[in-house]
Amino acid sequence: MTGQTRGSARPNQWLRNLNAKIASIPMILTAVVIFVGGTAWTVLYSFTNSKLLPRLSFVGLDQYERLWAAPRWLISIENLAIYGFFSLIFSLVIGFVLAALMDQKIRFENTFRTIMLYPFALSFIVTGLVWQWLLNPQYGIQSIVRSLGWTNFNFDPLYNSDIVIYGILIAALWQGTGLVMCLMLAGLRGIDEDIWKAARVDGIPMWKTYVLVIIPMMRGVFITTLVIIASGIVKVYDLVVAQTSGGPGIASEVPAKYVYDYMFQAQNLGQGFAASTMMLVTVAIIIVPWAYLEFGGGRKRA
């Protein structure tokens, strides 16, 4: 009887939340057809010699060989690596420090939090145009400082091909750090107050409490924040177009702009598909470890 009861209970597991499962079918089909299908279509045509219109004229790995032989693509990868490394480091450090300061129950906390988060509400185009003006040597920061008496002061990163990517990085940090701060603050507010009391009773310095206790407890928040920042890094496009349009020359090129230019301006779909496939690989390198840490690792520990 027990075996029959267990056997008859199994189908009920599939029938649980049946309405919700039926309602999710359109979204599942959309994800499979549009996202998975579109991705497969892009990868397939990256092996073709498609120009203005897609065509199944396979050329093997020729598009990838041309891609990695193109100086413009190599510069865009180098820029993305520099931009990504410093964006991750500074966003996390500045965001966490601001969150830790905000967590001290300061006065006017809501006002400061709103001010810090406000840049994130702006589009990347608006942010790029604002910082293009601020970094313009004729009427931006350099002009203002020189008018105060420091006539030898130079600050024109957007017009210097050696450091132009850092000018774009400044704008990105200004816009995105507020979001990181809010994520970190939410994590800090989730820490039990008894942990802070125990650390004070034991005489542990505050910085050690953060490094040895609080940050490890916020592992999930840090991983989620890293994924959000990293996904924004890979697809950075708007800031570059608004601030420099890839210049001076091709000094501030990034992969997303390379893909757009080849697909819609150079009318070379095959090359654009190959570049976008490389971007897809980059995203997969980010998402797969995150999924493992969040789901696979958690199940093993459980």
Side-chain angles (χ1 to χ4, degrees):
M1 291 294 292
T2 305
Q4 292 178 355
T5 303
R6 288 179 181 173
S8 61
R10 285 178 184 172
N12 294 334
Q13 298 293 329
W14 293 98
L15 295 176
R16 248 182 221 180
N17 300 322
L18 184 60
N19 291 336
K21 291 176 180 177
I22 293 174
S24 66
I25 290 175
M27 181 55 68
I28 295 172
L29 291 176
T30 301
V32 171
V33 174
I34 295 180
F35 295 105
V36 178
T39 299
W41 188 84
T42 300
V43 174
L44 174 66
Y45 277 88
S46 70
F47 296 100
T48 68
N49 193 29
S50 300
K51 296 296 183 182
L52 178 61
L53 295 173
R55 59 177 183 174
L56 284 173
S57 175
F58 290 100
V59 292
L61 297 174
D62 284 2
Q63 295 290 1
Y64 292 94
E65 291 175 359
R66 293 174 191 167
L67 180 69
W68 288 103
R72 184 178 175 185
W73 174 254
L74 297 178
I75 289 174
S76 70
I77 292 296
E78 181 183 354
N79 285 336
L80 186 67
I82 295 171
Y83 174 87
F85 175 79
F86 287 106
S87 183
L88 276 175
I89 298 299
F90 285 116
S91 293
L92 286 174
V93 172
I94 297 172
F96 184 80
V97 170
L98 290 174
L101 293 174
M102 205 75 69
D103 194 42
Q104 304 305 311
K105 308 296 189 296
I106 61 175
R107 294 181 65 185
F108 308 111
E109 177 189 330
N110 291 336
T111 302
F112 285 119
R113 193 167 58 212
T114 302
I115 293 172
M116 295 292 183
L117 189 59
Y118 177 74
F120 187 73
L122 302 176
S123 71
F124 283 107
I125 293 294
V126 173
T127 299
L129 292 174
V130 168
W131 279 94
Q132 182 192 55
W133 178 82
L134 288 173
L135 299 177
N136 190 299
Q138 294 182 354
Y139 43 79
I141 296 173
Q142 177 177 298
S143 177
I144 294 172
V145 174
R146 286 187 176 185
S147 67
L148 297 175
W150 288 278
T151 56
N152 293 325
F153 178 79
N154 290 312
F155 189 65
D156 56 347
L158 297 185
Y159 298 85
N160 186 334
S161 59
D162 293 329
I163 59 173
V164 62
I165 194 65
Y166 299 101
I168 296 170
L169 176 65
I170 292 171
L173 291 175
W174 178 78
Q175 183 173 34
T177 303
L179 174 65
V180 177
M181 180 204 71
C182 288
L183 293 172
M184 294 296 175
L185 183 60
L188 288 171
R189 292 287 164 84
I191 301 297
D192 194 340
E193 192 66 28
D194 291 339
I195 293 175
W196 292 105
K197 292 178 181 177
R200 285 194 290 269
V201 169
D202 292 340
I204 302 175
M206 182 173 286
W207 70 270
K208 275 192 175 182
T209 305
Y210 276 111
V211 172
L212 300 178
V213 180
I214 302 303
I215 291 178
M217 292 181 67
M218 292 174 60
R219 171 181 166 275
V221 176
F222 273 93
I223 291 174
T224 301
T225 305
L226 279 171
V227 171
I228 292 173
I229 297 172
S231 61
I233 289 169
V234 173
K235 63 182 183 182
V236 62
Y237 171 80
D238 314 59
L239 277 177
V240 175
V241 172
Q243 287 186 274
T244 65
S245 295
I250 57 173
S252 59
E253 283 288 330
V254 289
K257 187 175 181 299
Y258 184 95
V259 171
Y260 179 87
D261 288 349
Y262 268 87
M263 290 183 70
F264 299 104
Q265 293 184 3
Q267 298 178 353
N268 189 340
L269 290 179
Q271 184 69 184
F273 288 148
S276 59
T277 301
M278 288 292 97
M279 291 180 65
L280 173 66
V281 171
T282 305
V283 173
I285 291 172
I286 296 169
I287 295 298
V288 170
W290 169 76
Y292 173 77
L293 290 172
E294 282 296 293
F295 303 105
R299 287 177 182 174
K300 286 183 178 180
R301 286 193 300 271

